[in-house]
Amino acid sequence: MLRDYFTMPGIVKSMGLVFGDIGTSPIYTFTAIFFLIPPTPQNVMGILSLIFWTLTILVTVQYTFLAMHLGKKGEGGTIVLKEILLPMLKSSNQIAFVSLLSIIGISLFIGDGVITPAISILSAVEGVLLIPGFENTAQIILMLAAALIAICLFAFQARGTEKVAWAFGPVMVIWFGVLALSGLIALCGAPQVVFAINPLYAINYLAHNGLAGFLILSSVILCATGGEALYADMGHLGREPIVKAWYLVFIALAINYFGQGAFLIAHPGAQNVLFDMIFSEAKLLYIPFLLLSIAATVIASQAMISGIFSIVYQGITTRILPLLRIEYTSPQLRSQIYIDSVNWMLLFAVLLVILVFKSSINLTHAYGLAVCGTMTITSVLIIWILVLRGEVLKSLIAGFVFIVTGSFLISNLHKIPQGGYWSLLIAAIPLAIILIYVNGQRRLASSLKPVPLDEFLPKFNALYKSVNRISGSALYFARDFRQIPQYIPRTMFTNNIVYEENIIISIIRTEQPFGVTWGVTRELTKGLSIFEIYLGYMEIVDISTILKDADIDEKTIFYGMEDIVTSHAAWKIFGAIKHLTPSVVQFYRLPSDKIHGVVTRVEM
């Protein structure tokens, strides 16, 4: 049984796909904290206790115990929590509030995703400074090296990560093994640090350091960055392997942090604690460790990029983000997607962050705010669900976790003027796009005024009998066949374009993450049928194949396009978004030689 526990392939895969971000936090967490406070034995013990209990409460309790039991069909993430909670709410104000919270959570996750590659890669590259002969390497050279690694990483995305993903797990297993071994060796120098497991050390540190002790939580949170990936990536591998892998990762991280604490007590002058510790333990193995750390940070960055692609795709399919061109990079793995526009915007933002902050220490002033925001929103949604389900004990535990995450969030607010505003500025971009798009779609729908089916059918019947019909079948797309989009009556009644068979296609996203079903073509009246396709909100499908399997051989595909005329600044942005993003037929890659767009001018 024990042997099966440790040899499960899912555990190794989890190491590479889920734990890259939190697994590389030992590179910069201790260094960032003791850049701000003196490394006295009392401070080291207090910080070690805070780190240990932060990992326990925010990651183990919030995610592995609470959140990961709330997934839908094995899926996790902010959008999933929203989809679980919305059917349980009765007030429209509550529904609007929860929707807004989830949108803010998505935006903060994207803001965090820009800083993660920058700080991870920069902090690893800065380990070069300990190599004899490279001590005086200019910071601009380190920045260029980090930028080059980032460019290569983002340029590789279009090829898909499936070809190299097999190596991610084993590399991270070696990384965590090295972290644990180096920590154990360092512990021999000051084994008393293990007593920091006692939470009284954390409480005493906070009690005796007042406001300064509370504000240091904004750096302590760095040890838990990436913890949200346990839940967000649950759909890739399932709950069990991720939870089991976390226990191993938690042990490795704890041992390493305690080792760093022991090393710092013995060497209070250490500047880059992890790299100084490794250099003192094994100088001959330092360069291989440096290369391993760079590989680990690249894997951590890759996990974050893939996570952002998944979040954006969820946003597209739940209609809070505009349609974007998506490439499917793996015929086997449905989670392997590539979104060109998102990829290059992320790269631009990462390079800008490297240019602005210059060093990993400076970046720690911006890092953590978005993470705490995401964790706090997750905490609120979890409590809400548990209370409505009547799970009293779990609700009380979730309430305690919320107090802790809220405390971390408040402590991070002081970072805003020091650079934290960058993560908020970055998060504000997707937030603004989502709000403009959602409200623009709502305003557009009210302007277009779809025609009710019972009004449409008599006119269609009269026209179908009186005009010369075109042979073959024509497809029309409508979200709900009971409300006919204006472009359909305009095509038929204004332009007298009627085919022998006219089929209205409705693509309906369900409340479940996965699953594909479609109904038999239903005839509403002679010459007019409907065909409904039900898709999970994370499902990636080939609509052409579904139509072929349903024996629908279309001659022409019509779809609606809007020419938006407005003097309102927000609606001008909305019009630009609609103009630049693909239509529904382009998004689902229907045959280009068959599609015809019908333009409707709309004043907003």
Side-chain angles (χ1 to χ4, degrees):
M1 181 70 179
L2 188 64
R3 183 174 177 274
D4 292 340
Y5 180 93
F6 287 103
T7 55
M8 281 180 60
I11 294 177
V12 177
K13 289 179 182 176
S14 297
M15 298 278 192
L17 293 177
V18 179
F19 296 103
D21 190 1
I22 198 169
T24 52
S25 57
I27 296 175
Y28 47 78
T29 300
F30 238 66
T31 299
I33 293 171
F34 288 98
F35 180 78
L36 301 173
I37 61 174
T40 63
Q42 294 82 5
N43 284 347
V44 170
M45 293 295 284
I47 293 300
L48 281 175
S49 189
L50 282 170
I51 287 175
F52 179 84
W53 287 102
T54 297
L55 290 173
T56 300
I57 295 169
L58 295 193
V59 183
T60 305
V61 176
Q62 169 147 302
Y63 288 106
T64 66
F65 177 64
L66 294 175
M68 294 183 79
H69 285 90
L70 295 176
K72 289 182 75 173
K73 288 193 174 179
E75 283 298 316
T78 306
I79 290 180
V80 171
L81 287 176
K82 182 196 77 169
E83 295 294 322
I84 293 172
L85 184 54
L86 288 184
M88 303 168 73
L89 302 176
K90 296 178 181 178
S91 164
S92 59
N93 289 335
Q94 289 181 340
I95 291 171
F97 178 67
V98 168
S99 299
L100 179 61
L101 269 187
S102 67
I103 290 170
I104 294 172
I106 293 165
S107 303
L108 289 172
F109 182 82
I110 293 172
D112 176 42
V114 169
I115 298 178
T116 294
I119 192 173
S120 299
I121 296 171
L122 253 180
S123 57
V125 168
E126 286 168 355
V128 168
L129 296 173
L130 288 177
I131 300 175
F134 290 86
E135 301 93 335
N136 298 316
T137 304
Q139 189 65 31
I140 187 67
I141 300 297
L142 300 177
M143 290 165 60
L144 287 172
L148 183 61
I149 292 171
I151 290 169
C152 292
L153 173 64
F154 280 91
F156 187 76
Q157 297 303 310
R159 297 172 179 264
T161 57
E162 184 190 10
K163 295 173 185 175
V164 293
W166 61 269
F168 288 179
V171 169
M172 292 308 295
V173 168
I174 295 170
W175 170 253
F176 287 119
V178 170
L179 287 182
L181 179 61
S182 62
L184 281 172
I185 294 170
L187 270 171
C188 296
Q192 69 272 18
V193 297
V194 298
F195 291 113
I197 290 176
N198 188 338
L200 289 177
Y201 282 97
I203 295 168
N204 287 336
Y205 178 85
L206 294 174
H208 288 92
N209 288 277
L211 181 61
F214 178 73
L215 294 179
I216 205 66
L217 292 177
S218 64
S219 294
V220 172
I221 191 62
L222 297 177
C223 73
T225 56
E228 66 277 11
L230 273 74
Y231 185 47
D233 292 339
M234 191 167 68
H236 292 197
L237 297 163
R239 178 183 177 275
E240 286 302 316
I242 292 177
V243 171
K244 289 178 179 179
W246 167 242
Y247 296 147
L248 301 177
V249 169
F250 178 82
I251 292 168
L253 291 176
I255 291 172
N256 187 263
Y257 280 122
F258 282 111
Q260 287 191 50
F263 178 79
L264 199 57
I265 288 174
H267 304 83
Q271 297 295 313
N272 196 328
V273 183
L274 177 63
F275 287 107
D276 281 346
M277 184 175 82
I278 298 294
F279 190 76
S280 70
E281 291 175 352
K283 291 184 176 63
L284 292 177
L285 296 176
Y286 180 74
I287 291 179
F289 173 78
L290 179 62
L291 296 175
L292 177 63
S293 70
I294 292 173
T297 56
V298 167
I299 291 170
S301 303
Q302 174 60 59
M304 183 57 75
I305 295 166
S306 298
I308 290 177
F309 286 164
S310 295
I311 286 289
V312 170
Y313 183 77
Q314 287 182 37
I316 290 170
T317 56
T318 52
R319 297 192 174 104
I320 63 172
L321 278 171
L323 298 177
L324 296 171
R325 198 174 305 279
I326 293 174
E327 303 289 335
Y328 307 114
T329 59
S330 168
Q332 285 81 33
L333 300 175
R334 58 185 168 188
S335 60
Q336 292 285 314
I337 60 174
Y338 169 72
I339 307 175
D340 188 78
S341 54
V342 174
N343 186 67
W344 298 119
M345 283 193 290
L346 278 175
L347 174 60
F348 174 77
V350 167
L351 295 178
L352 181 62
V353 165
I354 290 173
L355 180 64
V356 169
F357 287 92
K358 296 181 172 58
S359 71
S360 60
I361 283 294
N362 292 337
L363 263 169
T364 59
H365 298 313
Y367 202 34
L369 182 59
V371 176
C372 286
T374 302
M375 287 184 171
T376 304
I377 288 170
T378 299
S379 210
V380 170
L381 297 177
I382 288 172
I383 293 171
W384 208 331
I385 292 169
L386 292 174
V387 168
L388 291 177
R389 286 184 174 180
E391 299 185 41
V392 178
L393 179 60
K394 284 188 177 181
S395 298
L396 292 173
I397 295 171
F400 172 72
V401 172
F402 170 70
I403 293 170
V404 175
T405 55
S407 300
F408 275 103
L409 178 61
I410 293 169
S411 73
N412 268 273
L413 295 179
H414 85 282
K415 284 185 174 183
I416 292 175
Q418 301 174 12
Y421 65 88
W422 272 97
S423 61
L424 297 182
L425 283 175
I426 294 165
I429 295 172
L431 178 62
I433 290 173
I434 291 171
L435 292 177
I436 290 172
Y437 180 74
V438 170
N439 287 290
Q441 286 288 84
R442 191 177 294 121
R443 178 68 69 90
L444 184 63
S446 64
S447 300
L448 288 174
K449 294 178 181 174
V451 179
L453 182 63
D454 55 359
E455 291 182 20
F456 176 80
L457 283 178
K459 293 181 180 179
F460 175 83
N461 287 330
L463 183 70
Y464 191 78
K465 294 173 183 175
S466 62
V467 299
N468 292 324
R469 299 182 293 274
I470 302 170
S471 63
S473 298
L475 305 186
Y476 299 85
F477 282 84
R479 187 173 298 181
D480 182 354
F481 73 91
R482 289 161 295 196
Q483 297 293 323
I484 307 296
Q486 274 197 7
Y487 83 92
I488 297 179
R490 186 177 170 197
T491 301
M492 294 180 177
F493 306 152
T494 304
N495 299 323
N496 286 342
I497 298 175
V498 181
Y499 281 71
E500 287 181 349
E501 289 294 332
N502 302 275
I503 304 172
I504 298 175
I505 308 290
S506 287
I507 299 173
I508 302 160
R509 292 285 176 175
T510 67
E511 293 182 355
Q512 300 301 322
F514 294 109
V516 182
T517 57
W518 62 86
V520 178
T521 306
R522 235 174 352 122
E523 190 173 72
L524 297 174
T525 186
K526 184 171 176 58
L528 181 66
S529 305
I530 60 166
F531 183 76
E532 293 176 301
I533 303 172
Y534 293 87
L535 306 176
Y537 59 83
M538 290 186 66
E539 195 67 67
I540 296 170
V541 294
D542 185 341
I543 297 295
S544 294
T545 301
I546 290 177
L547 295 175
K548 185 177 179 181
D549 290 345
D551 295 324
I552 296 175
D553 183 18
E554 73 281 355
K555 188 174 184 180
T556 305
I557 302 171
F558 291 100
Y559 68 97
M561 298 172 62
E562 296 84 22
D563 177 22
I564 296 170
V565 179
T566 182
S567 58
H568 193 287
W571 302 146
K572 282 185 178 180
I573 296 172
F574 175 69
I577 291 171
K578 294 287 285 185
H579 179 71
L580 293 172
T581 54
S583 65
V584 64
V585 291
Q586 292 169 322
F587 179 77
Y588 286 113
R589 301 187 173 206
L590 295 167
S592 58
D593 58 328
K594 295 182 178 181
I595 61 177
H596 295 278
V598 181
V599 180
T600 303
R601 175 161 288 190
V602 182
E603 291 189 10
M604 291 179 65

